[in-house]
Every structure is written in C-alpha cells, then in structure tokens.
Amino acid sequence: MSTPAQLIVRSSPRPGEGLLGFLLRMSAANGYAGAGVLIRLANLPRTFLTRPCTLDGLAALLGSVVSVSELEERLHWPVGSRRGVNFCGAIVSPVDIGFTHPKVCPACMEESSIARQVWDLRVVTTCWRHDCYLRDHCSDCGSRLTWQRRRLLHCDCGSQLGKQPTNGAPPEVTALTLLLEAMVIDGSSWVDPFPMPGRSLAAICRAIWWFGGELARLDRAQPLAISKPSVCLAAKIVERGVRFLEDWPQSIDALFRHADVEAARRQDLQQASEQTLYRMRQAFGGADFKLMLDDVRRRLGLIGYPVKRNSFYSVRGPRS
C-alpha cells in the first residue's frame, strides 16, 4: 500500500472539534469537495468511524501534524466487552450519537468555522454560547444536512450555514449543553443543574432521553419509536427530560401520577405501574444507575405505590 501524499494545507483538530467536521474543513482548505476525498486518499475503510482500523494513512496525509492517538480520540470505536463506544474518552451507547445527520449552530459556524463534536450527541439540541437551537435542515432548500455534503460551511444547495436563522432556546436546556461540553472537553462537570445521582456522560444522556420519551408517551404525544429523530422532535424530548431531572427525586412521583392517569383511562392500574417499572429497569441497568434506582425505590415507598412484594422495586426493611 503506497503512502498518500501530504496535503498542502494541514492542521490538527481544534479543541472540541469532531473528526468528520475536521475532515470537511481540511478538504475545503485543500480545494476538495467533501470529506470522502480525504478518506479515499488515506485508504480508510468506510467503517473507520465505528470500527477499529489503522489510521496511519490519515496521519501521513496530514503530514504528522496530528498523531494517530489524537485521531483515535475522536472516533467511536467499541470499548472492551461493554456495549458501548468511545465518545471523547467516555463510554456511551451508540444510539446516543448521530452518525449521519449533523446539527449545527449557525452563529458558531460563522464565528469559528468548526463543527463541535458535542453536537453529535442526540440529547444536545442547543448552543449555550448563543442561547439558540441547533439546526439539522437547510432553511433555504429544506434538505436535511449530512456529513456527505461537499463543504463544511455550506449546504449542497449553496446556502451558507452561518447565515441560517436561529431560534432562542430555554436556559435550562442550554445549561445541559454547557454541562455536557465541559464533560466532553475536560472530563469535568463543574456546571451541574441536576440533583440526580449518577454523573457519567452515558447516565445523563440515557436518563434525559428515557424520561423525556416516557413522559411524552404517557401524555400520548408524538410516537418516539425513532431513536434519532430530527432536531425539532429531539428538542421536545430533551426539554421534558431536563425538566424531569431538575426536580429529581420528587419528579418520580409525577411520573407515576402520569402513569396513574393512563391506567385510569384504561382501567388497569396495576398493569400500568408494572409496565412503567419494567421499562425503567430495562433502560437503567448497570453500576451507573444504582443510586438512581435506589432513589426510585425510596420514592415508591414514600408514596405507597402498589408494587408486588419481593419485586425488584420493593422497599425492604432492615433485617431483624
């Protein structure tokens, strides 16, 4: 296999920049149309983003300005035997990442000309820098953005993404974006709006999405079977989830009140509670969620919720 020629314009990824956005930026700087050109020049397989492979060709193409290990940090390869993938050094579920349709903040694209990696998390729907929602559609042609577009800063119709209109976002949701970006960039959580136990990136992403979707389901809102919806629908799910976690653990009571309303409508109280608890247990397995599930058990005991004796969620008294 021949060593690829070096690019004329070379750079390393900027802090917080995703690899696909970086490749799009480098392709434009060197006069190429799309990241696919660089991927072919570097002899990378099509699955390089999610499956381990050698990145020597890409590092050589970039003139060794960036090391192989730095490139690997921005890939989403499986981590060990756990059912998770890498996201900036953290382990998250693959469903938490958008691999096909990117989101952008027009103001950030205009100011910094980079695509931030945190935008790839499906629970990130806002920009905390500009207090606005992200976009995943072009406002001019209406098409959904993809990583296969020819230029980073333009839709394939020619519209400048930095000139696209934006809509203001709620401060509690932009605070979530700030929290997650701090965790992604330096591993800290110095801005933390949630009292919920469990501080890993994976725990926060899963809890927000699950509780936001569960409340929507109980309210008989739009179906949420799709795991990676458009940013408009995702924003509704995330906002419900954020409000739920902000009021933790009292919000657990509200969740079961919602379930009671649904049960009363169907005249099946016990079945509704069991289904809600079953879905919760299925969604929140593992050490990351142990303290959270302990909170759920305590709240169930306080409100006297009808849980079968010796069930996983029953509150056990002290041993005699």
Side-chain angles (χ1 to χ4, degrees):
M1 183 180 297
S2 61
T3 302
Q6 294 182 2
L7 297 175
I8 296 175
V9 180
R10 301 188 295 271
S11 174
S12 58
R14 298 174 187 169
E17 184 177 22
L19 186 60
L20 290 178
F22 168 66
L23 294 180
L24 263 177
R25 181 165 64 85
M26 284 294 93
S27 69
N30 286 275
Y32 297 120
V37 178
L38 302 191
I39 293 170
R40 290 191 295 272
L41 289 174
N43 295 311
L44 291 175
R46 295 178 63 183
T47 58
F48 78 98
L49 192 67
T50 57
R51 293 289 181 268
C53 62
T54 177
L55 301 176
D56 293 343
L58 181 57
L61 187 67
L62 295 166
S64 299
V65 173
V66 56
S67 67
V68 169
S69 62
E70 288 176 300
L71 294 171
E72 289 178 351
E73 289 174 0
R74 289 169 166 79
L75 294 172
H76 308 306
W77 290 351
V79 179
S81 59
R82 298 179 62 178
R83 294 180 180 179
V85 296
N86 172 65
F87 192 90
C88 302
I91 302 174
V92 302
S93 169
V95 301
D96 287 325
I97 308 172
F99 296 104
T100 305
H101 296 290
K103 296 165 287 188
V104 301
C105 168
C108 282
M109 300 292 275
E110 180 76 1
E111 293 174 0
S112 61
S113 301
I114 68 169
R116 303 187 190 280
Q117 188 157 22
V118 72
W119 296 343
D120 293 339
L121 291 173
R122 68 175 176 176
V123 298
V124 172
T125 59
T126 64
C127 172
W128 64 267
R129 290 174 175 82
H130 302 99
D131 298 318
C132 66
Y133 287 106
L134 303 179
R135 297 193 62 93
D136 65 349
H137 285 76
C138 173
S139 62
D140 287 340
C141 70
S143 62
R144 196 169 183 183
L145 300 178
T146 73
W147 285 118
Q148 283 71 48
R149 65 183 188 273
R150 293 188 292 272
R151 290 180 289 176
L152 175 65
L153 303 179
H154 293 77
C155 173
D156 281 346
C157 73
S159 177
Q160 296 183 53
L161 298 181
K163 304 298 184 183
Q164 303 266 322
T166 58
N167 295 314
E172 62 271 18
V173 185
T174 58
L176 165 67
T177 304
L178 175 56
L179 163 65
L180 297 182
E181 187 164 329
M183 297 178 74
V184 163
I185 292 179
D186 60 22
S188 70
S189 57
W190 47 271
V191 179
D192 193 344
F194 306 129
M196 184 199 79
R199 310 320 312 149
S200 72
L201 181 66
I204 293 173
C205 288
R206 191 182 308 177
I208 286 173
W209 194 264
W210 192 88
F211 286 115
E214 183 70 7
L215 289 171
R217 188 193 68 81
L218 292 172
D219 282 344
R220 288 175 284 168
Q222 186 168 353
L224 302 175
I226 182 170
S227 64
K228 295 173 184 176
S230 68
V231 70
C232 292
L233 178 54
K236 296 176 182 178
I237 299 171
V238 170
E239 285 161 30
R240 288 174 183 266
V242 167
R243 288 194 295 269
F244 187 92
L245 296 189
E246 281 185 323
D247 197 32
W248 186 274
Q250 290 79 10
S251 53
I252 298 170
D253 307 2
L255 174 66
F256 284 94
R257 283 197 299 270
H258 277 287
D260 287 347
V261 171
E262 174 66 12
R265 185 181 68 85
R266 300 190 319 186
Q267 298 181 341
D268 191 0
L269 176 60
Q270 187 65 26
Q271 184 179 356
S273 65
E274 289 176 359
Q275 288 176 350
T276 300
L277 290 171
Y278 175 78
R279 287 194 297 271
M280 190 180 297
R281 186 180 182 184
Q282 291 296 107
F284 299 114
D288 282 349
F289 303 102
K290 181 180 183 302
L291 294 176
M292 190 190 84
L293 294 180
D294 286 345
D295 278 351
V296 173
R297 291 188 189 92
R298 281 192 289 270
R299 297 305 299 189
L300 291 175
L302 286 173
I303 64 178
Y305 206 80
V307 178
K308 286 183 177 178
R309 188 176 181 181
N310 297 324
S311 75
F312 178 77
Y313 283 99
S314 62
V315 180
R316 296 169 178 82
R319 294 181 179 179
S320 57

